[in-house]
């Protein structure tokens, strides 16, 4: 399987840069999720990799093969879209076999073997003779995935394949995707604006913002060590808390949410902010070492049943996510602790690499 190498790839529409000077490598045999808000350029980038869109500038290679100006049919890519084109009057197996039969190099027996394999991996064997028109959206989308993987192309591209699928079918589709990954190791680019999907499926997430990749990293690295405030904000539900310093004296920096001053790190020459995720804020009923008093402004329940607390700490506002419990009363005083290993510092919106430490 080849890797996918993008070199200074841009796509402009009129004066608008939909994709802006991207240079990166998506490693062979891995799943990269392109994640980012609506309009950030995910589909445009994917369409250029597919050959459905030509870059205004830059080059795209699959391994050493320059595909920048090759049509889709010559690239050895398979695609699954949000609204896949299916032959509604044909059966499931016929839909999967049709593109394979066009490949003269494949014997009828091989076509059948591959179709059977994907039906089994995607747990579609019971549906093999049903007509596409009789299936629900989720199952139809599974067939589209099967049709793409059966071609055994070097590269498979997915553009938001679960967006129109109801939530349970979506989970089934994600499970099927993971099952097929365990068996076949094609290089996959998967576009989504759903961070949970990206966290679940990706070997690495390429987080996009305004036509650029702001960070490309494994999901847990992206979550724990976002390189920018944008990454901290975009990932998480809700995203990271950001706090401005209360004061800066010499080599000491104070924040309302920390009981002790921290050392001013190297490179802290711009506008500083502290980042901490809501689930990393410890909330205690009693005073404790390293904890500061906070007032509960509001509490609400998240989808997982956890409590989301809005807190006032000094003059700062902070969100904390705590395990399911009796909702604490608004106005109540609690004590919060932000452990330094979970704290990150941003300088003009970009994370400072040095670990955050207490001032001497
Ligand atoms: N053919 C086109 N002509 C003009 N503008 C375009 C064209 N295709 C895309 N754009 C613009 O480029 C930007 C990026 O679009 P794109 O579809 O790549 O975003 P996206 O990240 O896939 O968004 P979404 O999450 O909504 O699917 C958008 O502002 C869009 O309006
Ligand atoms: Mg899109």
């Amino acid at each position: 399987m080849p890797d996918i190498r993008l070199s200074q790839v841009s796509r402009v529409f009129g004066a608008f840069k939909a994709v802006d000077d991207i240079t990166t490598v998506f490693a062979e045999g891995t799943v990269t999720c392109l994640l980012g808000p609506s309009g950030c350029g995910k589909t445009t980038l994917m369409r250029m990799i597919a050959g459905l869109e030509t870059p205004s500038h830059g080059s795209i290679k699959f391994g050493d093969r320059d595909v920048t100006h090759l049509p889709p049919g010559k690239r050895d890519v398979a695609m699954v879209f949000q609204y896949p084109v299916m032959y509604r009057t044909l059966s499931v197996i016929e839909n999967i076999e049709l593109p394979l039969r066009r490949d003269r190099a494949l014997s009828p027996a091989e076509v059948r073997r591959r179709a059977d394999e994907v039906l089994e991996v995607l747990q579609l064997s019971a549906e093999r003779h049903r007509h596409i028109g009789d299936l629900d959206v989720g199952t139809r989308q599974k067939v589209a995935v099967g049709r793409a993987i059966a071609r055994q192309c070097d590269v498979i591209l997915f553009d938001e394949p679960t967006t129109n699928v109801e939530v349970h079918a979506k989970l089934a589709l994600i499970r099927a995707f993971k099952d097929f990954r365990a068996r076949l190791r094609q290089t996959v680019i998967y576009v989504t604006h759903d961070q949970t999907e990206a966290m679940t499926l990706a070997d690495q997430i390429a987080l996009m913002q305004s036509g650029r990749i702001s960070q490309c990293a494994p999901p847990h690295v992206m979550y724990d060590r976002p390189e920018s405030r944008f990454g901290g904000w975009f990932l998480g539900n809700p995203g990271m808390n950001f706090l401005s310093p209360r004061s800066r004296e010499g080599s000491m920096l104070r924040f309302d949410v920390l009981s002790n001053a921290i050392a001013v790190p190297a490179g802290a020459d711009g506008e500083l902010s502290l980042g901490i995720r809501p689930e990393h804020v410890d909330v205690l009923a009693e005073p404790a070492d390293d904890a500061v008093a906070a007032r509960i402004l509001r509490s609400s329940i998240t989808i997982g049943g956890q409590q989301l607390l809005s807190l006032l700490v000094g003059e700062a506002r902070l969100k904390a996510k705590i395990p399911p419990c009796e909702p604490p009363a608004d106005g109540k005083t609690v004590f919060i602790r932000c452990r330094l290993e979970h704290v990150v510092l941003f300088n003009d919106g970009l994370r400072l690499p040095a670990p955050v430490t207490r001032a001497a």
Side-chain angles (χ1 to χ4, degrees), residues 42-43 159-160 191:
K42 305 180 294 294
T43 295
D159 192 4
E160 312 234 10
V191 172

Side-chain angles (χ1 to χ4, degrees), residues 147-183:
R147 189 175 55 181
I149 61 181
R151 288 180 53 206
Q152 301 191 357
C153 295
D154 287 346
V155 173
I156 310 191
L157 308 172
F158 295 86
D159 192 4
E160 312 234 10
T162 65
T163 300
N164 301 306
V165 177
E166 58 89 14
V167 63
H168 294 98
K170 183 170 168 161
L171 292 176
L173 204 54
I174 288 175
R175 211 164 31 241
F177 182 88
K178 291 191 83 96
D179 287 345
F180 114 72
R181 284 298 300 162
R183 299 267 285 263

Side-chain angles (χ1 to χ4, degrees), residues 90-97 111-113 115-120 123-132 135 139 143:
L90 297 184
S91 67
V92 167
I93 184 119
E94 286 166 328
N95 265 278
I96 291 173
E97 287 186 344
V111 168
R112 181 50 54 95
R113 193 195 64 73
D116 284 342
E117 184 184 22
V118 300
L119 288 179
E120 193 218 313
Q123 296 183 14
L124 280 170
S125 299
E127 272 77 32
R128 67 188 288 136
H129 296 304
R130 290 183 67 191
H131 279 165
I132 291 292
L135 302 177
T139 311
V143 178

Side-chain angles (χ1 to χ4, degrees), residues 219-346:
H220 67 277
V221 174
M222 181 76 78
Y223 195 78
D224 293 338
R225 324 244 6 114
E227 269 170 24
S228 67
R229 274 182 58 146
F230 173 72
W233 166 78
F234 190 79
L235 287 177
N237 186 18
M240 221 172 217
N241 293 291
F242 299 108
L243 301 135
S244 302
R246 188 175 66 209
S247 68
R248 178 173 178 166
E249 302 138 29
S251 61
M252 291 203 296
L253 203 51
R254 290 185 191 280
F255 289 90
D256 288 312
V257 297
L258 298 177
S259 57
N260 293 292
I262 57 173
V264 174
D269 50 10
E271 191 179 332
L272 289 181
S273 53
L274 174 152
I276 181 139
R277 293 209 170 272
E279 60 272 35
H280 290 150
V281 177
D282 298 338
V283 178
L284 315 166
E286 306 293 334
D289 274 359
D290 295 345
V292 292
R295 189 156 60 86
I296 297 177
L297 297 175
R298 201 160 26 83
S299 63
S300 54
I301 296 180
T302 67
I303 283 176
Q306 292 165 306
Q307 289 287 341
L308 185 66
L309 307 179
S310 296
L311 301 160
L312 187 67
V313 196
E315 292 181 0
R317 280 167 190 255
L318 184 76
K319 285 194 160 49
K321 215 193 241 183
I322 60 172
C325 62
E326 275 295 300
D330 294 356
K332 188 178 169 206
T333 296
V334 289
F335 300 87
I336 60 139
R337 186 165 51 201
C338 300
R339 274 177 280 137
L340 291 190
E341 69 261 33
H342 293 308
V343 166
V344 287
L345 278 180
F346 297 96

Side-chain angles (χ1 to χ4, degrees), residues 11 13 16-19 36-45 53 82 159-160 191 193:
R11 179 69 173 111
F13 296 111
F16 179 73
K17 276 195 175 172
V19 168
S38 190
C40 69
K42 305 180 294 294
T43 295
T44 306
L45 182 60
E53 195 86 66
Q82 210 168 322
D159 192 4
E160 312 234 10
V191 172
H193 62 259

Side-chain angles (χ1 to χ4, degrees), residues 200-216:
T200 312
L201 297 180
D203 295 310
Q204 64 264 333
I205 295 176
L207 182 64
M208 292 188 66
Q209 179 188 22
S210 310
R212 290 173 166 260
I213 292 179
S214 78
Q215 185 175 1
C216 189

